[in-house]
């Protein structure tokens, strides 16, 4: 499958210029976050032991094509690098903000809530390069049993806030998702900017934890984007299946995270055609229709 990479159609960069087959296989078949290395860049954790429930000074580097730690980054969504840590069962989510410790080393206080397997993502764009998401596995020692994926739903509650989800994920198409924030039954209309928007949404595919780029519609101060209660995003998912959505939003100086499980169902319907209906011809195989693969 060579479905467009997540986020292309949403941000307007998905020009319809077909790359050579070898490029297509490289650039469009693998979503972000599934690899530690891509395009010569490698995510390398320096911290090897993380004890559950204990704050750890977690350090890592991103090495470039020259084999040296990268020190030049573009600022995206107010940060040079976004660091996401989730449990493998997608029950735990953390959006952290590492600091540069010098020499291309990043440092962040990391607390893994319990024993088990985790996945860390570094989302960044090196100077002179394009955006990348690299992933690495982490492990907190101890016995654990993975939890079942939360059931799909359209309402999430956190700290007295209720967030509702409107919109559906369609594989291979740009999907409009609108999240509405309320508190005590009243719409929240004074959301505060967070990472250059009124909300920051991360989408992860259940199973392999593919990291999908999601783009907000509008930005604070543009004269047309209200500060709530609705926050709109555009996402593109590559396949059917379950996805976890994590929305970070800021209100009254505190960032909170609402989470959802959403299911991507049918592929986009083919363009309608006009003309007379074909006449069915009985056959020994029965009337099961033509299967287009």
């Amino acid at each position: 499958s060579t479905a467009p990479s997540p986020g292309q159609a949403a941000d307007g960069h998905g020009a319809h210029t077909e790359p050579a087959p070898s490029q297509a296989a490289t650039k469009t078949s693998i979503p972000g976050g599934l690899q530690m290395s891509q395009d010569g860049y490698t995510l390398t954790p320096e911290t090897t032991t993380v004890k559950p429930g204990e704050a750890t000074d977690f350090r890592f580097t991103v090495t470039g094509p020259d084999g040296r730690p990268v020190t030049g980054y573009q600022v995206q969504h107010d940060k040079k690098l976004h660091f996401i840590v989730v449990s493998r069962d997608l029950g735990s989510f953390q959006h952290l903000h590492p600091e540069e410790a010098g020499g291309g080393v990043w440092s962040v206080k990391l607390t893994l809530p319990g024993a088990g397997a985790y996945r860390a993502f570094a989302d960044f764009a090196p100077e002179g390069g394009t955006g990348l998401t690299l992933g690495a596995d982490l492990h907190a020692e101890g016995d654990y049993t993975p939890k079942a994926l939360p059931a799909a739903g359209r309402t999430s509650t956190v700290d007295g806030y209720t967030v509702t989800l409107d919109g559906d994920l369609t594989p291979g198409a740009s999907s409009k998702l609108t999240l509405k924030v309320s508190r005590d039954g009243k719409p929240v209309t004074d959301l505060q900017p967070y990472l250059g928007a009124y909300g920051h949404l991360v989408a992860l595919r259940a199973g392999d934890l593919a990291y999908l780029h999601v783009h907000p519609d509008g930005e604070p101060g543009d004269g047309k984007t209200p500060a709530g209660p609705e926050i709109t995003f555009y996402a593109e998912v590559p396949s059917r299946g379950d996805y976890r959505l994590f929305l970070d939003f800021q209100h009254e100086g505190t960032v909170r995270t609402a989470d959802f499980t959403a299911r991507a169902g049918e592929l986009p319907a083919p363009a309608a055609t006009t003309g007379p209906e074909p006449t069915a011809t009985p056959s020994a195989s029965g009337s099961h229709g033509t299967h287009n693969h």
Side-chain angles (χ1 to χ4, degrees):
S1 171
T2 55
S5 59
Q8 272 192 318
D11 62 11
H13 298 303
H16 297 287
T17 302
E18 294 296 331
S22 60
Q23 292 176 324
T26 300
K27 294 184 179 297
T28 64
S29 61
I30 302 177
L34 297 180
Q35 305 178 101
M36 291 185 68
S37 297
Q38 184 178 342
D39 299 342
Y41 294 88
T42 301
L43 172 61
T44 305
E46 292 190 352
T47 304
T48 57
T49 302
V50 180
K51 293 184 178 181
E54 294 186 11
T56 301
D57 180 16
F58 187 85
R59 294 182 173 236
F60 63 93
T61 61
V62 176
T63 55
D66 59 1
R68 299 178 180 178
V70 177
T71 57
Y73 293 85
Q74 302 175 41
V75 175
Q76 295 186 315
H77 301 291
D78 291 347
K79 298 290 181 180
K80 292 182 178 181
L81 184 145
H82 296 268
F83 194 64
I84 308 294
V85 179
V86 298
S87 58
R88 270 282 172 186
D89 61 13
L90 290 175
S92 168
F93 172 89
Q94 298 181 65
H95 186 162
L96 305 174
H97 303 295
E99 296 181 352
E100 294 175 278
V105 177
W106 292 89
S107 173
V108 64
K109 290 295 182 184
L110 172 63
T111 302
L112 299 181
Y118 294 81
R119 186 75 171 172
F121 301 95
D123 189 352
F124 64 94
E127 286 185 354
T130 57
L132 294 169
T133 303
L134 303 180
D137 286 330
L138 306 179
H139 183 77
E141 59 188 15
D143 295 331
Y144 79 102
T145 300
K147 297 179 181 179
L149 196 71
R154 293 187 177 272
T155 302
S156 177
T157 57
V158 54
D159 294 344
Y161 293 81
T162 299
V163 182
T164 56
L165 169 66
D166 184 42
D168 297 299
L169 296 174
T170 301
S174 179
S175 304
K176 181 180 179 180
L177 303 176
T178 301
L179 295 111
K180 186 174 182 178
V181 183
S182 64
R183 184 171 64 172
D184 299 328
K186 299 179 180 180
V188 175
T189 58
D190 57 345
L191 292 171
Q192 296 167 317
Y194 177 66
L195 300 177
Y198 287 121
H200 189 274
L201 186 66
V202 170
L204 296 164
R205 183 166 61 185
D208 63 358
L209 274 59
Y211 184 103
L212 308 179
H213 294 277
V214 184
H215 302 267
D217 183 29
E219 60 184 29
D222 63 5
K224 60 181 181 180
T225 303
E230 296 182 345
I231 317 169
T232 299
F233 298 88
Y234 289 89
E236 186 167 328
V237 298
S239 67
R240 296 181 178 91
D242 290 327
Y243 292 80
R244 287 285 283 162
L245 309 178
F246 298 94
L247 171 71
D248 291 329
F249 64 95
Q250 183 168 243
H251 187 238
E252 296 181 349
T254 300
V255 176
R256 296 170 175 87
T257 303
D259 61 277
F260 302 84
T261 299
R263 171 158 292 181
E266 298 301 319
L267 295 169
T273 58
T274 58
E277 291 290 330
T279 302
T281 302
S283 66
S285 59
S287 56
H288 296 296
T290 301
H291 297 279
N292 294 320
H293 296 283

